[in-house]
Amino acid sequence: MKHFAIHPRRPSRHRYRLSAIASLGLCAAGPLAPSILHAAPAPAACARIAHSDQSSAQGQTVLEHITVTAGSGGGVLKATRQTFAGAAPDASLDLADAASVLLLAAFTGYHNAACSAWLETEGKAAQAALASGHSLDMSWSGASIQHKSLHIGIDTAHLALKNGSPDANATLSFSGVTVSGVTAPTLMPSSANASFTLPQSELASLMAATAGKATSLPAVHVTIHSLTARRDTIELSGNGHATLTGETGSTSAGGHLEIHDISALIDHARQENQMKVAAALIIARMVSHSTSDGNAWDTTWAGGVLTVNGVPLPLK
């Protein structure tokens, strides 16, 4: 999710975006079996990537002190350690680098045409690897992302994809998330977990759209089995479906959402002087269904409009 609260305006490149975060879950997996396709380094115009050490053990590649500098001022990702499994050692390095470029792009909204063809190639390889029975697994620890005034810290991030032909079964988690340099940082979640499926055949186009500049937006169809985001006593959970494109304005979604301790969330919005957000949350609470643990809604997001239990909310 973007974060617990509802944005009063269209999200900027400095904020969590539904499509970007979900896109990471769908396409940070650039791994492939080298017998299917051969990995290639990132084009220099797309990103410059460095790490201090590389080792392999029991099918896992471990990278130390990773730095990814996106081209055209797209920001910097740093991580103390990255692990990658699901490809042979001679292919793992380039594929791990592709995953890091996508992690950076997912949080900053980075798009560069120099990344498009490379990521599409990696995406097709990932599709083939999953179809052949490979499980793809990657994690980052001690990560930080910086883009102009935006700074995001992540203690751990983990993504796993398994073959569920014709779909890919995915789990995604973030913990220890801190954010500064944005409006209303206390509305951001500190941890998030998701379980979802998507057609394996749609990975490549979404990967290219996430950090590249696609000539036409893809349509990736996702079934969200569970989604949970937390901060302090506030917890958002839900399930549903989404059609992702790599851009928030053209993404659509629908499903069931629940919030525990919405009063605390409204107080956070008021303290951050986000009065339109607070007003939208108050309206949402009024039209919610009460549960034993909080408030629940059936929601849709389409064309930049959020509808909650049949009531459009004022996002502008």
Side-chain angles (χ1 to χ4, degrees):
M1 299 296 293
K2 299 173 195 172
H3 43 67
F4 291 120
I6 301 164
H7 284 303
R9 59 186 67 85
R10 179 168 177 160
S12 73
R13 59 185 175 180
H14 300 309
R15 298 181 178 177
Y16 286 104
R17 303 183 308 164
L18 171 64
S19 60
I21 301 306
S23 295
L24 172 65
L26 309 182
C27 62
L32 64 149
S35 59
I36 300 170
L37 280 177
H38 206 62
C46 171
R48 300 183 303 279
I49 305 169
H51 12 72
S52 64
D53 191 27
Q54 175 189 0
S55 61
S56 298
Q58 298 180 336
Q60 183 179 73
T61 294
V62 179
L63 303 176
E64 306 286 351
H65 300 101
I66 304 95
T67 301
V68 178
T69 305
S72 304
V76 178
L77 163 71
K78 293 184 179 181
T80 302
R81 172 173 289 193
Q82 179 185 3
T83 63
F84 179 90
D90 61 347
S92 291
L93 178 60
D94 293 332
L95 299 172
D97 288 346
S100 290
V101 170
L102 287 165
L103 177 64
L104 173 62
F107 278 93
T108 63
Y110 172 63
H111 294 283
N112 187 334
C115 300
S116 298
W118 172 59
L119 289 175
E120 185 171 6
T121 297
E122 301 298 336
K124 290 178 179 177
Q127 293 172 186
L130 288 170
S132 66
H134 290 265
S135 294
L136 311 176
D137 189 284
M138 62 212 71
S139 65
W140 296 259
S141 60
S144 66
I145 295 171
Q146 189 160 3
H147 182 215
K148 297 182 178 179
S149 62
L150 171 68
H151 186 274
I152 300 170
I154 306 171
D155 285 349
T156 60
H158 178 251
L159 172 67
L161 286 92
K162 296 182 179 180
N163 176 35
S165 183
D167 294 329
N169 299 320
T171 58
L172 172 68
S173 64
F174 297 97
S175 66
V177 179
T178 59
V179 183
S180 62
V182 297
T183 302
T186 63
L187 300 182
M188 302 290 185
S190 58
S191 65
N193 299 274
S195 171
F196 52 92
T197 59
L198 72 152
Q200 291 176 181
S201 61
E202 296 180 352
L203 279 171
S205 58
L206 184 61
M207 286 179 64
T210 298
K213 285 187 177 181
T215 55
S216 60
L217 291 176
V220 176
H221 305 88
V222 183
T223 299
I224 303 165
H225 304 293
S226 66
L227 171 66
T228 303
R230 298 183 180 89
R231 184 184 183 94
D232 301 326
T233 61
I234 305 165
E235 178 179 301
L236 181 148
S237 60
N239 57 78
H241 59 85
T243 300
L244 305 175
T245 65
E247 293 291 343
T248 303
S250 55
T251 290
S252 62
H256 182 78
L257 293 177
E258 296 188 12
I259 293 182
H260 174 74
D261 203 359
I262 191 173
S263 296
L265 181 57
I266 294 171
D267 288 343
H268 277 300
R270 287 170 171 162
Q271 292 165 10
E272 294 281 8
N273 201 31
Q274 296 295 300
M275 303 314 294
K276 289 184 178 180
V277 174
L281 289 167
I282 291 170
I283 294 172
R285 182 170 59 182
M286 291 172 59
V287 300
S288 69
H289 304 302
S290 295
T291 69
S292 59
D293 293 327
N295 303 83
W297 305 264
D298 293 315
T299 65
T300 60
W301 168 269
V305 176
L306 178 65
T307 301
V308 178
N309 289 347
V311 179
L313 293 186
L315 300 185
K316 295 183 180 180

